[in-house]
Amino acid sequence: LFEGADLRWDARDRGAQGPCDREHSRQFCGTSTFHCSLLRLQDDVDLSRGDAIVHGEFSRAGVQVGQRLTVHLLVTDAVHLAAGQSYWLRLGTAQVQARIEAIEHQIDIETFQSVPASDLDMNKIGCVRLVLDRPVVFMAFDQSVTLGGLILIDRFTNQTIAFGFVQ
């Protein structure tokens, strides 16, 4: 993430190019009016798909940037989640490597009480602390489904092993 870049926004009608054409706009936006946008930065900045650009006052809106997340997870695969394991985490459009730092507790689905736990198995719900290999933009799930909802993916099989939300 790059802080302090001076941004200039340049919106233009660029014609039918790639997915930004009249048919795409009509199908997905409900209108045949379309605009492609070009974002020009004053300085060279390494940006790619999945990166977020936010205004300097983003913290007021609940947007956070960090490499540590506390999440509630529901394990959906026949795996045994424990501290030290690494997975791909997909949050919004970003995909990063995530390591389970700790499992804080499991949630009993009948009483909704926190139960001490050191691991989570299939169909178990728990509160988990994750450490990411790079910063991501996130929000609490109750503020943004897109920036608060996530999935964990096995790095070798590409199977979704859990889904969850940022607290």
Side-chain angles (χ1 to χ4, degrees):
L1 299 171
F2 181 78
E3 295 182 25
D6 185 19
L7 302 178
R8 189 181 87 217
W9 179 256
D10 186 8
R12 300 178 185 176
D13 183 353
R14 308 262 309 175
Q17 297 178 9
C20 189
D21 59 23
R22 293 186 202 296
E23 183 62 26
H24 176 83
S25 295
R26 187 171 51 71
Q27 286 179 352
F28 297 102
C29 302
T31 178
S32 61
T33 303
F34 67 98
H35 297 280
C36 291
S37 298
L38 173 65
L39 181 65
R40 294 182 183 185
L41 303 178
Q42 186 173 359
D43 298 319
D44 287 337
V45 178
D46 184 17
L47 293 174
S48 61
R49 182 180 204 134
D51 289 342
I53 299 172
V54 293
H55 187 271
E57 301 295 323
F58 63 90
S59 60
R60 286 191 204 168
V63 177
Q64 300 177 58
V65 178
Q67 284 183 257
R68 293 182 178 275
L69 299 175
T70 300
V71 301
H72 279 111
L73 289 179
L74 169 63
V75 181
T76 58
D77 198 10
V79 296
H80 180 78
L81 289 185
Q85 296 173 330
S86 292
Y87 297 95
W88 288 116
L89 177 135
R90 188 166 296 155
L91 173 69
T93 59
Q95 182 169 310
V96 297
Q97 187 172 324
R99 180 179 50 82
I100 298 174
E101 181 177 43
I103 296 178
E104 294 186 351
H105 59 265
Q106 182 176 316
I107 299 172
D108 183 310
I109 61 169
E110 293 183 18
T111 65
F112 299 108
Q113 297 296 313
S114 298
V115 178
S118 59
D119 56 20
L120 294 175
D121 295 319
M122 186 171 183
N123 295 326
K124 300 296 182 187
I125 300 170
C127 182
V128 177
R129 284 194 324 255
L130 301 173
V131 178
L132 312 179
D133 69 341
R134 64 183 173 93
V136 294
V137 174
F138 63 94
M139 295 178 77
F141 184 79
D142 62 353
Q143 292 180 306
S144 171
V145 174
T146 302
L147 293 177
L150 59 98
I151 59 173
L152 284 183
I153 303 166
D154 186 286
R155 295 180 350 201
F156 302 105
T157 66
N158 283 328
Q159 282 190 266
T160 300
I161 58 108
F163 65 87
F165 59 89
V166 178
Q167 294 187 29

